[in-house]
Structures are given as C-alpha cells and as structure tokens.
Amino acid sequence: MYLKEYRICMPLTVEEYRIGQLFMIAKHSHEQSQNGEGVEVVKNEPCEHEVHGKGQYTEKRIHLSSKLPTWIRSMIPQIFYITEKAWNYYPYTITEYTCSFIPRFSVHITTRYENNNGTTENCLNLSEEELGQREVDFIDIVNDPIQERHYKDSEDLTKVKSTKANRGPFDKNWRNTSEPIMCSYKVVRCFFEVWGLQTKVEEYAQKSCRDVNLLGHRQAISWMDEWINMSMTDIRDYENHMQKKTNEKVLKNQDKTTAEENS
C-alpha cells in the first residue's frame, strides 16, 4: 500500500466550498468527457451514516482507456472503465475506486475540510502505523505547475480575480495571507497486489490523483463567480442538468465507436 496525505488550501470557507465542490465536479466532468471517454454518472442519491449523518451517494464510471500509459493499455481491454463510489457527508467524504478487470487494484480516499491553512497534523485520525508510512504533500493551486495541455489563462490564479467575492489574483505567499482560508485534507491509499508491478502502478495512481486535484481545485476557484451565489437547490439542479449532458456525451460516442468496430 502507498499512503499519501494531500493538503489543498483554498481561499474559501468550508461552507462556501460545499457549493463550489459540487459545481466544480459537475462542470469538470463535463469538460473532460469526449470521444466516448469521460465520466458517466450511474447513481446520485441521498444516503445516511450512523456516525456522519445524512449525505449524498454517487456512483460513476470513468471511461479513460486512451488516457493511460502504453504499458497499462497493453494489459487491458479497449472498452475499460474504473468505478468510483463516493459518500459525501460534508465536511467528511469517502471515495473508492475499483476496476473489475483488475480486482487487486483499488484506491481509497478519505477527506475532511477545515477552516485553516493546512496546520492540523492528524486531521483524519490516522493510526501510529499509518502516520509512520504517511507522506504529506501540499498542493499549491496557485504556484504548482500545471500540465501544459490543461493550462488556461482564465484559470491561472495569479491572474484571475473574482469580482463577486473580491478575491484574487493571488501571489506566492497567498496561503499565509488570504482571508478566508480553508484546507482539504485527503488521505489516499493505493493498493495493487501484483508482484513486479505494485510500485509502478501505485505511484502512477498517486500521481494521477495529485494531477486531478491540482486541476480541479484551481478550476473551483477560477469559476467562483459562476457558483458563489448558488443555493443548495440551485446546485442540485445544476448537477442534474450537467450529469444528463455528460452522460449523453459519453454514451453517444461509445455507441458510435462500437458501431464502427462492428461494421
């Protein structure tokens, strides 16, 4: 198992990010879905936990064959997806990724949001053994380099300003000077119990997790003016609308690809 704790600060309150998170996930999923690949929403429904209370359960299929390295694509079928199951008991969430084709592979993520700049040393109550294994990685959404293919001026937080919230642009020391400030604490556990490939696959999964979180959290802030005044009713309506559009986008292209292969 490869265990990392990511700490991702944002110039928001935890309550604000409750809306921003849902908006970012819905819009980001739609943007990243194309040519039969992307995020298909299978379920999105209320759930309840005896400790964490009421929440929202989502189940998604992430179709991504062509986005994988060649050495992984050589081992999997062309039509390939990872299943994401998430339980959102905000400000605490649980997310699991599995693949039916590779049963020994899984990623487990627990997340908690707090109103600070990443100073809580054991936010997710890790055991002493896990603390010894843990690698802490601060993701700086303003200053960390983004993959060139994902870079947009409109999402560069050293240039972007929210006119509705009067926040930004942000400088190198923003994490210590911004008000408000919050942190997303994410503990990511990667498992791949196959001798000879374990380290390579687990490292790839962690890198992918970091890249996705850097891009997604940058977008949540750069899109702030689109969601900052939304209510929970507004965001649920937006989620439903975007999920339908995204599913249509993914499944339409998959049907087209299947028809071409069978002709």
Side-chain angles (χ1 to χ4, degrees):
M1 178 187 72
Y2 186 4
L3 187 154
K4 287 188 74 172
E5 179 180 316
Y6 298 96
R7 299 184 188 179
I8 313 161
C9 292
M10 288 169 284
L12 302 170
T13 66
V14 168
E15 190 56 35
E16 286 173 336
Y17 188 57
R18 186 173 194 177
I19 302 292
Q21 175 199 48
L22 298 174
F23 182 91
M24 176 267 286
I25 291 171
K27 184 172 178 177
H28 176 87
S29 296
H30 185 71
E31 282 197 348
Q32 297 298 308
S33 299
Q34 56 189 336
N35 299 324
E37 297 197 333
V39 182
E40 173 195 356
V41 180
V42 179
K43 292 182 181 179
N44 187 357
E45 59 193 25
C47 62
E48 192 162 353
H49 189 277
E50 60 183 9
V51 175
H52 303 298
K54 293 183 178 180
Q56 194 78 7
Y57 170 75
T58 57
E59 183 175 331
K60 301 175 184 177
R61 292 176 180 172
I62 304 172
H63 303 265
L64 42 56
S65 297
S66 72
K67 297 182 181 180
L68 297 172
T70 304
W71 60 271
I72 292 183
R73 292 205 304 269
S74 67
M75 300 184 292
I76 63 174
Q78 185 173 0
I79 300 174
F80 170 76
Y81 64 85
I82 288 175
T83 298
E84 176 196 276
K85 296 181 179 180
W87 295 262
N88 189 344
Y89 306 104
Y90 201 85
Y92 175 77
T93 66
I94 304 166
T95 311
E96 296 178 355
Y97 295 93
T98 56
C99 171
S100 59
F101 186 75
I102 312 173
R104 293 185 178 181
F105 169 77
S106 63
V107 177
H108 300 260
I109 304 173
T110 52
T111 306
R112 187 176 296 279
Y113 308 102
E114 290 191 347
N115 285 313
N116 58 54
N117 68 346
T119 53
T120 303
E121 282 309 311
N122 191 9
C123 183
L124 287 151
N125 299 316
L126 300 182
S127 67
E128 288 299 319
E129 180 181 359
E130 288 177 319
L131 288 172
Q133 296 175 330
R134 178 185 67 173
E135 177 184 336
V136 176
D137 185 349
F138 279 88
I139 296 179
D140 187 332
I141 62 173
V142 175
N143 300 304
D144 281 1
I146 196 84
Q147 292 181 37
E148 186 176 350
R149 64 193 173 93
H150 290 311
Y151 178 83
K152 296 178 183 178
D153 261 1
S154 61
E155 296 174 4
D156 186 333
L157 301 184
T158 65
K159 302 176 181 179
V160 172
K161 179 180 177 64
S162 166
T163 56
K164 292 182 180 179
N166 192 30
R167 294 174 211 173
F170 301 94
D171 60 22
K172 289 186 179 296
N173 197 38
W174 73 275
R175 192 164 62 89
N176 296 316
T177 58
S178 294
E179 182 63 39
I181 190 79
M182 65 161 286
C183 185
S184 169
Y185 294 84
K186 289 184 178 292
V187 170
V188 180
R189 300 171 174 88
C190 295
F191 303 86
F192 187 62
E193 299 172 359
V194 176
W195 185 85
L197 286 173
Q198 179 175 3
T199 299
K200 195 171 186 177
V201 171
E202 290 179 354
E203 287 179 349
Y204 173 78
Q206 288 285 4
K207 182 182 182 303
S208 297
C209 182
R210 192 187 201 285
D211 289 346
V212 167
N213 276 289
L214 174 58
L215 176 61
H217 288 80
R218 279 168 59 99
Q219 290 176 328
I221 303 306
S222 64
W223 296 338
M224 193 186 305
D225 282 351
E226 298 181 52
W227 59 260
I228 193 67
N229 292 327
M230 282 186 171
S231 65
M232 281 303 296
T233 300
D234 294 333
I235 195 62
R236 291 302 181 199
D237 289 343
Y238 178 81
E239 260 191 320
N240 290 334
H241 172 68
M242 293 302 287
Q243 285 168 10
K244 289 177 183 177
K245 287 180 65 176
T246 303
N247 281 3
E248 288 172 3
K249 195 176 180 183
V250 173
L251 298 175
K252 180 180 178 180
N253 283 301
Q254 282 185 351
D255 292 342
K256 181 180 178 182
T257 301
T258 302
E260 289 173 351
E261 290 174 349
N262 292 335
S263 62

